[in-house]
Amino acid sequence: MLSPLATPAATRDVLEEHGLSTKHALGQNFLVNDAILQKIVELAQLDAFDDVLEVGPGIGTLTIALLKCAGRVVSVERDADLPAVLEDTLVPWADRFALISKDALELTEEEVRLALAKCAAPSEGRASRAVPHDANSPVDCSPKQDCLSTKYAPRPLGSGNGTRRSFPNKFVANLPYAVAATLVLDFFQKFPQLESATVMVQKEVADRMCAEPGSKNYGAYTVKLRLYAEPAGRFLVSPNNFFPPPHVDSSVLRLNRRPVYDADGAPLDDALLKATCVMADAAFASRRKTISNSFKTYFASRGNAGKAFIGCIPDLLDECGIDAKRRGETLSLDEFIALGKAYLRRESNPL
């Protein structure tokens, strides 16, 4: 078993022992199926070279699985009642775990760096992950192959070249659904060190993250997220895998960071990324309207500078070869990037 807390009985026992109950306001739905944990770590492709950033560890159910299958784990938790619980449930891995008690939306890079620096490497403390010698082999955390098996030798911590990493390279979490979409995009934007995110989210949010142009789920959020990452696998998780069961279906989704280039093969700088995000917001300001009218609605609400820019919209679309009668959901990522470049070229843009 990957995590001894992954049952309804074990979860209830831990909560009762600490005089706690689940808090709906914080979106607390604890995972109680070990098979789902195994699928999460397999999708995340964890090994002892990896350092993980987690949000919402709860009582430590997923955290234990991460500590068994990765090098170090830094978790962020806003519930003031849970640090004491985690101090108990994570005792065997305490040297490789650090907790930051705050709202993850306010998290800074420096806070994560300082927390990770306090964690010991497996070779410095308790070597817990059994990792095959082939670094490219898939993670095997099935019940028949315990992650603590002595048949597998622990690997050194770091990036593969013997150096200690200063910031986690993977984001793995069972996220509070109310902030999941915002948090994933925020982390990809703020923390360029993150190579991937493997996250449990509401199914509808996963649909938006994976949407393609022309689909009903494709919107400004999809465009913004695709500037930083692309989907690399997902699976459905039904409500009966949680305690208490949520009223919605969930999905675990992996997103891989990828570099995005413009039509000339140049990487997108911060200014162009910001401009492209503005174009996405403008294109979907009024989803049922044409892109021309949606742009007008958006910029009309952006003060005098925005209103002054409305006259530039026809030329902007024409320069990019985009029919003014199209709708935002029909535009590809490349077309949004082209709009962003054209937008930056206009001195009257309200950025």
Side-chain angles (χ1 to χ4, degrees):
M1 191 170 191
L2 199 53
S3 178
L5 302 181
T7 69
T11 299
R12 276 193 295 265
D13 288 346
V14 170
L15 292 173
E16 289 174 3
E17 182 180 345
H18 290 269
L20 302 176
S21 59
T22 58
K23 299 178 181 178
H24 178 73
L26 296 181
Q28 290 178 346
N29 300 98
F30 299 113
L31 193 57
V32 290
N33 186 336
D34 200 69
I36 300 299
L37 292 177
Q38 293 175 38
K39 293 180 71 173
I40 291 172
V41 298
E42 288 167 3
L43 185 60
Q45 295 183 311
L46 298 177
D47 64 30
F49 286 130
D50 294 316
D51 295 317
V52 177
L53 178 61
E54 180 192 24
V55 169
I59 64 173
T61 306
L62 174 59
T63 317
I64 291 174
L66 299 177
L67 286 162
K68 283 186 175 182
C69 296
R72 298 173 292 179
V73 176
V74 174
S75 297
V76 186
E77 177 59 65
R78 62 175 292 194
D79 187 344
D81 290 326
L82 291 178
V85 180
L86 293 167
E87 188 174 346
D88 288 344
T89 59
L90 303 181
V91 167
W93 306 276
D95 55 343
R96 296 190 289 108
F97 173 75
L99 180 66
I100 301 173
S101 296
K102 73 176 304 180
D103 188 333
L105 290 172
E106 300 173 358
L107 189 66
T108 68
E109 181 175 329
E110 183 63 17
E111 287 172 320
V112 180
R113 287 183 182 277
L114 289 174
L116 186 64
K118 296 176 182 177
C119 298
S123 57
E124 297 170 345
R126 182 187 300 262
S128 70
R129 167 65 173 121
V131 185
H133 287 288
D134 179 4
N136 295 316
S137 65
V139 174
D140 183 2
C141 291
S142 66
K144 294 181 180 179
Q145 177 55 67
D146 192 299
C147 285
L148 294 174
S149 170
T150 56
K151 292 173 60 179
Y152 289 78
R155 306 190 75 122
L157 179 76
S159 59
N161 58 10
T163 61
R164 283 176 63 108
R165 192 178 281 109
S166 63
F167 195 95
N169 62 311
K170 292 187 177 180
F171 177 34
V172 186
N174 175 15
L175 291 175
Y177 290 171
V179 297
T182 302
L183 203 58
V184 170
L185 178 58
D186 183 56
F187 275 21
F188 271 117
Q189 290 176 327
K190 288 199 306 188
F191 305 137
Q193 303 91 336
L194 291 177
E195 300 166 3
S196 68
T198 303
V199 291
M200 178 92 71
V201 298
Q202 188 173 335
K203 178 182 176 297
E204 286 75 9
V205 172
D207 290 341
R208 290 169 57 201
M209 291 177 171
C210 295
E212 295 295 334
S215 67
K216 66 177 183 178
N217 294 307
Y218 185 73
Y221 178 83
T222 315
V223 175
K224 294 176 185 179
L225 183 60
R226 202 69 87 248
L227 289 169
Y228 300 91
E230 61 183 356
R234 65 183 287 189
F235 61 88
L236 187 66
V237 183
S238 60
N240 61 3
N241 291 290
F242 298 89
F243 173 79
H247 299 296
V248 296
D249 285 327
S250 307
S251 287
V252 174
L253 169 71
R254 173 167 172 157
L255 296 158
N256 287 345
R257 182 181 293 278
R258 62 155 189 178
V260 177
Y261 304 92
D262 63 18
D264 298 323
L268 277 59
D269 59 22
D270 289 343
L272 182 50
L273 285 168
K274 184 177 181 180
T276 304
C277 288
V278 169
M279 293 293 95
D281 284 333
F284 291 97
S286 298
R287 190 179 182 93
R288 296 184 180 181
K289 293 183 178 181
T290 64
I291 191 170
S292 176
N293 288 334
S294 185
F295 270 31
K296 291 175 184 176
T297 299
Y298 176 85
F299 285 106
S301 66
R302 293 300 183 273
N304 292 332
K307 292 175 183 177
F309 188 77
I310 290 176
C312 299
I313 292 173
D315 288 341
L316 181 79
L317 295 173
D318 186 62
E319 180 181 331
C320 297
I322 296 173
D323 189 335
K325 295 181 180 179
R326 289 175 63 185
R327 298 183 188 275
E329 62 264 31
T330 69
L331 270 62
S332 67
L333 181 63
D334 287 342
E335 287 177 309
F336 277 110
I337 293 171
L339 284 169
K341 292 187 73 172
Y343 181 63
L344 285 177
R345 284 194 288 267
R346 282 158 174 77
E347 294 182 0
S348 59
N349 78 70
L351 271 183

